[in-house]
Amino acid sequence: MAYSGSTRDFVALSDLHPNLARPNVIGVVIGKTDVRGFPDRKNIGSERYTFSFTIRDSPAYFINVHSWGREEYIRPLSESFRVGDCVTIENPLIQSKETEREEKFNPATPSCYKLLLSENHSVVKRSSCYDMDTQLLSLLHLPVKDPQDYYSLGDIIANGQSLDGKVLNVLAAVMSVGEPKYFMTSDKRKGQRCEVKLYDETEMSFPIVCWDNESIQLAQSWIPRETVIFASDVRINFDKFRNCMTATVISKTIITTNPETAEANVLFSFIKESAQSGALHDKMEEQSKDSVSLETIVDVYTVEQLKEKALQSDGKSEPVYGIIYGYISTLDIDDNASKVIRNRCSICRFIVNEMSNTCTFCSDVSPDSKSTFASFDILVDLTDHTGTLYSCYLSDCVAEETLGCTVHEFLTLTEDKKTALKWQLLLERSKIYFKVTSSPSLRTGLKVNILSCKLADPTEASQSLLGKEIGKKRL
């Protein structure tokens, strides 16, 4: 079978074989690696460069393409197209692949062959003028693995460390996309990292990490709470630092955005229903007020006791409500207003997209009826004589009550007045009502929402702490 173009014929990827002379192929790019350099054995002191990509021209067939050569050739070639582009390749070398060795680091393909690009003989061009493009672009929404062959996020967490180091498939929705972070490696190479939070019917926050520029760029196109991905061959690891399971995009990984499968449609329905019912509200962004009445919260904890109780919960999702007599030890409100104030949707109270200032959850509501409002969104540390709870959420009207001013009043304060306000609260003994839930995706493993924070009555605080000490000695 051959595809007819305007000036040439394209050989179907399934028809390729090593004896085929000077073939032309066309396909959509479904995966791509970053350019990397390595020492050139033939020219000591110099480097060669390489990158790979995967193209597809039918639901059943895709193939890996490898390019090697000078930096002056490889980098411009890599930058000339991205995942999702249609490309034509003229005169590639067709070579049999060593399946076991090559598929250890490259995507598994149904083809027995691979394509090699030569600087002197091969040409790669982005294609936008062929009749095949519409058909090719539809292939971007077909997973390269069996759409039923995946782990739910809950399955991964339930299996825990037994999956550490395993490579498997994941179907999940995108909860949030982090900003890319850039750094320099020990050997003076530039590196980058981006973390995306996923969710599904079984788990509300699961991190997947991208380390390469190609997957980071792809992730930046995803719309939180609207995009579903099928990630084939991601590596699962147990993050000892955060005490949680994570996924990592590797060179074998191919990510299908918004897959057109029955399983993905179920997940799309879950996203929409959850958004309309507000079922995710408590699980996602910090709530402004908890539905539990403060009068019903009577249990007093020290920081140490709270951490012990949380550990005893064994990751169960039931929240712990209580009171701590402690003080705010970190309160960065005089640094940058954008770090402590976010816009929320007036309808569902979700934090809205910062770039577009629109709510991705209320998509069925007329834009004319939507509005946003500015809201405090502050991370604080809480400390008592037994320890510190880091990165606790002080949000919305609870933050306004604690600070003693509205968002709009706060924005009119000078930097000196913001600093003075901070020191009115820092290190002052307070009576703090809180809600704690287990959150393996957070570094501390706990999500602490402050429900109320007011200066404590000295006598009440002393009696409470004295009672705690007496009880501890009796035990």
Side-chain angles (χ1 to χ4, degrees):
M1 174 183 174
Y3 300 130
S4 296
S6 57
T7 59
R8 62 178 70 83
D9 288 334
F10 298 105
V11 178
L13 298 180
S14 57
D15 293 337
L16 292 175
H17 56 84
N19 296 327
L20 196 62
R22 302 179 65 84
N24 297 319
V25 298
I26 186 170
V28 63
V29 179
I30 59 173
K32 187 165 176 275
T33 69
D34 283 353
V35 172
R36 62 183 180 88
F38 56 95
D40 188 344
R41 294 178 182 176
K42 294 182 180 179
N43 299 292
I44 305 302
S46 62
E47 283 191 314
R48 292 188 73 201
Y49 289 79
T50 183
F51 79 100
S52 303
F53 59 102
T54 306
I55 62 170
R56 189 176 196 174
D57 72 347
S58 70
Y61 231 80
F62 47 98
I63 194 170
N64 293 326
V65 186
H66 303 275
S67 184
W68 308 75
R70 300 175 303 117
E71 183 176 14
E72 295 81 1
Y73 164 65
I74 294 297
R75 287 202 185 277
L77 178 60
S78 174
E79 292 168 2
S80 67
F81 61 89
R82 296 289 179 199
V83 170
D85 287 340
C86 294
V87 296
T88 61
I89 304 176
E90 299 175 15
N91 199 30
L93 176 65
I94 305 168
Q95 193 175 80
S96 297
K97 70 178 183 184
E98 299 176 44
T99 302
E100 185 174 344
R101 183 176 67 86
E102 293 188 21
E103 290 190 352
K104 186 176 182 180
F105 301 105
N106 298 293
T109 68
S111 177
C112 300
Y113 307 108
K114 61 184 176 182
L115 300 182
L116 301 181
L117 300 182
S118 162
E119 180 175 358
N120 296 325
H121 301 100
S122 307
V123 177
V124 180
K125 297 177 182 177
R126 283 182 61 186
S127 167
S128 59
C129 57
Y130 298 104
D131 295 336
M132 284 300 299
D133 277 9
T134 302
Q135 292 174 256
L136 289 173
L137 290 174
S138 68
L139 300 175
L140 288 172
H141 302 293
L142 296 181
V144 296
K145 295 290 186 74
D146 180 349
Q148 296 180 337
D149 178 20
Y150 67 89
Y151 275 69
S152 71
L153 303 180
D155 288 340
I156 295 173
I157 292 173
N159 283 277
Q161 296 188 46
S162 66
L163 291 179
D164 187 41
K166 302 291 186 183
V167 174
L168 46 83
N169 310 322
V170 170
L171 174 69
V174 175
M175 175 70 80
S176 63
V177 180
E179 291 293 323
K181 308 292 185 183
Y182 299 94
F183 56 88
M184 193 73 71
T185 64
S186 57
D187 58 354
K188 306 301 182 185
R189 295 177 184 267
K190 292 181 179 179
Q192 62 277 313
R193 181 184 188 277
C194 175
E195 183 166 300
V196 176
K197 294 292 177 59
L198 304 177
Y199 71 108
D200 63 10
E201 300 97 325
T202 65
E203 177 61 33
M204 293 302 166
S205 184
F206 186 92
I208 182 170
V209 182
C210 305
W211 291 97
D212 63 287
N213 188 53
E214 291 296 334
S215 63
I216 289 174
Q217 287 201 29
L218 180 62
Q220 296 303 307
S221 71
W222 297 337
I223 302 174
R225 281 98 68 186
E226 291 185 15
T227 300
V228 169
I229 65 170
F230 187 100
S232 69
D233 290 334
V234 293
R235 189 176 67 235
I236 303 299
N237 289 112
F238 177 71
D239 187 327
K240 294 181 180 178
F241 180 70
R242 293 189 290 182
N243 193 37
C244 69
M245 302 302 294
T246 65
T248 303
V249 175
I250 58 177
S251 57
K252 282 177 61 66
T253 305
I254 290 182
I255 298 177
T256 304
T257 302
N258 292 334
E260 294 178 353
T261 66
E263 295 75 18
N265 287 338
V266 172
L267 192 50
F268 278 119
S269 297
F270 169 73
I271 293 174
K272 190 171 183 179
E273 291 168 7
S274 298
Q276 292 173 343
S277 67
L280 291 180
H281 190 214
D282 185 52
K283 303 274 187 183
M284 293 171 47
E285 307 296 351
E286 296 65 49
Q287 286 185 311
S288 58
K289 267 287 189 185
D290 198 273
S291 58
V292 174
S293 171
L294 297 184
E295 287 75 20
T296 65
I297 301 174
V298 294
D299 293 329
V300 178
Y301 296 87
T302 64
V303 168
E304 183 180 48
Q305 289 169 337
L306 180 58
K307 288 180 177 179
E308 289 175 355
K309 185 174 182 64
L311 287 173
Q312 292 169 1
S313 70
D314 196 28
K316 294 178 182 177
S317 58
E318 289 81 5
V320 176
Y321 294 91
I323 301 168
I324 285 178
Y325 289 95
Y327 53 86
I328 296 175
S329 51
T330 300
L331 181 65
D332 294 328
I333 59 173
D334 54 350
D335 180 18
N336 185 339
S338 64
K339 292 183 178 180
V340 298
I341 295 174
R342 304 281 296 277
N343 285 336
R344 291 179 183 266
C345 174
S346 298
I347 298 173
C348 67
R349 301 185 75 86
F350 281 124
I351 290 178
V352 302
N353 182 287
E354 291 184 20
M355 298 296 291
S356 63
N357 199 39
T358 57
C359 179
T360 57
F361 253 50
C362 297
S363 56
D364 292 341
V365 180
S366 167
D368 297 334
S369 65
K370 290 191 222 177
S371 63
T372 63
F373 65 96
S375 167
F376 282 118
D377 208 54
I378 309 170
L379 289 178
V380 304
D381 294 345
L382 300 180
T383 300
D384 69 2
H385 62 291
T386 66
T388 298
L389 289 170
Y390 297 98
S391 300
C392 305
Y393 294 102
L394 180 62
S395 304
D396 206 3
C397 51
V398 177
E400 291 187 352
E401 292 171 1
T402 302
L403 297 176
C405 65
T406 66
V407 171
H408 299 292
E409 290 169 343
F410 178 82
L411 290 172
T412 65
L413 298 179
T414 64
E415 293 304 309
D416 288 343
K417 288 186 177 180
K418 289 179 183 177
T419 301
L421 175 60
K422 176 173 78 171
W423 283 104
Q424 287 178 18
L425 298 166
L426 273 180
L427 308 181
E428 292 290 338
R429 180 74 67 184
S430 298
K431 184 178 183 180
I432 302 163
Y433 289 82
F434 63 82
K435 172 188 174 183
V436 175
T437 50
S438 176
S439 181
S441 63
L442 298 179
R443 180 173 62 86
T444 60
L446 300 175
K447 179 181 177 182
V448 182
N449 285 86
I450 297 174
L451 309 180
S452 174
C453 179
K454 296 181 179 179
L455 293 180
D457 176 87
T459 303
E460 178 186 341
S462 297
Q463 289 176 345
S464 177
L465 293 172
L466 180 61
K468 282 285 177 185
E469 289 301 317
I470 292 173
K472 192 174 182 181
K473 289 178 180 178
R474 286 175 178 170
L475 290 175

